[in-house]
């Protein structure tokens, strides 16, 4: 039987861990909120500033649950609805921009939703399974079932699982740790 040990929610310029508000801002835009949270929480990962917004959202949520953990045997199972559409639009804008001679490779890097899983894995030196699903809506039963298979296989001791949706200024992260 799996159990959920910790939960992090990020939405409406607020980060909550296990129902306790960890950080809150008056920022209107996600990018401003993310910068304020990064600074206020004293996170130290310079690559954060180069990430796309979806990766920043997933990174902030994972950081709240993994910062004090030995994470190399933690798997990642995340999902959202919009995939990397927010970044895809930014990339298309860089192609269409008359002042650019070529599209931005810095933006192109983030045109796959699983890149945020890679950023988290690198940060926490994770050496196990990961997956990023694109679903119509948050499907906890599906995500937990997939996570349970990973845990039962012995490939991981924990799974960071959940929903990280970001499109334009609409965003929500709901992630949690699962163990057997």
């Amino acid at each position: 039987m799996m159990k959920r040990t910790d939960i992090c929610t990020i939405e409406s310029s607020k980060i909550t861990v296990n129902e306790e508000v960890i950080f809150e801002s008056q920022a209107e835009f996600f990018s401003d909120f993310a910068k304020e949270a990064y600074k206020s929480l004293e996170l130290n990962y310079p690559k954060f500033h180069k990430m796309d917004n979806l990766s920043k959202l997933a990174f902030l949520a994972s950081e709240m649950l993994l910062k004090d953990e030995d994470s190399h045997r933690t798997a990642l199972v995340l999902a959202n609805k919009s995939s990397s559409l927010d970044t895809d639009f930014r990339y298309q804008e860089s192609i269409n921009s008359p002042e650019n001679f070529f599209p931005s490779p810095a933006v192109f890097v983030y045109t796959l939703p699983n890149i945020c899983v890679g950023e988290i894995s690198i940060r926490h030196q994770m050496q196990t399974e990961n997956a990023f699903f694109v679903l119509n809506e948050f499907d906890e039963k599906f995500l937990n079932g997939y996570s349970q298979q990973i845990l039962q296989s012995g490939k991981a001791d924990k799974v960071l699982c959940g929903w990280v949706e970001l499109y334009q200024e609409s965003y929500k992260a709901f992630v949690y740790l699962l163990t057997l």
Side-chain angles (χ1 to χ4, degrees), residues 13-84:
S13 298
K14 186 186 322 182
I15 300 174
T16 306
V17 175
N18 298 327
E19 299 184 15
E20 177 185 342
V21 176
I22 301 299
F23 176 77
E24 193 167 10
S25 166
Q26 299 301 313
E28 181 180 350
F29 301 108
F30 175 79
S31 58
D32 296 333
F33 163 74
K35 287 177 197 171
E36 289 177 23
Y38 176 88
K39 186 176 179 180
S40 175
L41 297 168
E42 298 178 349
L43 303 176
N44 184 21
Y45 193 65
K47 283 180 63 178
F48 178 84
H49 302 291
K50 294 181 181 182
M51 292 180 194
D52 73 320
N53 284 338
L54 178 62
S55 295
K56 287 179 180 179
L57 177 63
F59 181 88
L60 287 170
S62 67
E63 204 61 18
M64 297 300 96
L65 301 183
L66 299 176
K67 64 182 174 189
D68 298 324
E69 297 277 328
D70 176 10
S71 303
H72 77 280
R73 294 222 359 110
T74 301
L76 289 166
V77 177
L78 300 176
N80 76 6
K81 180 178 182 173
S82 299
S83 185
S84 59

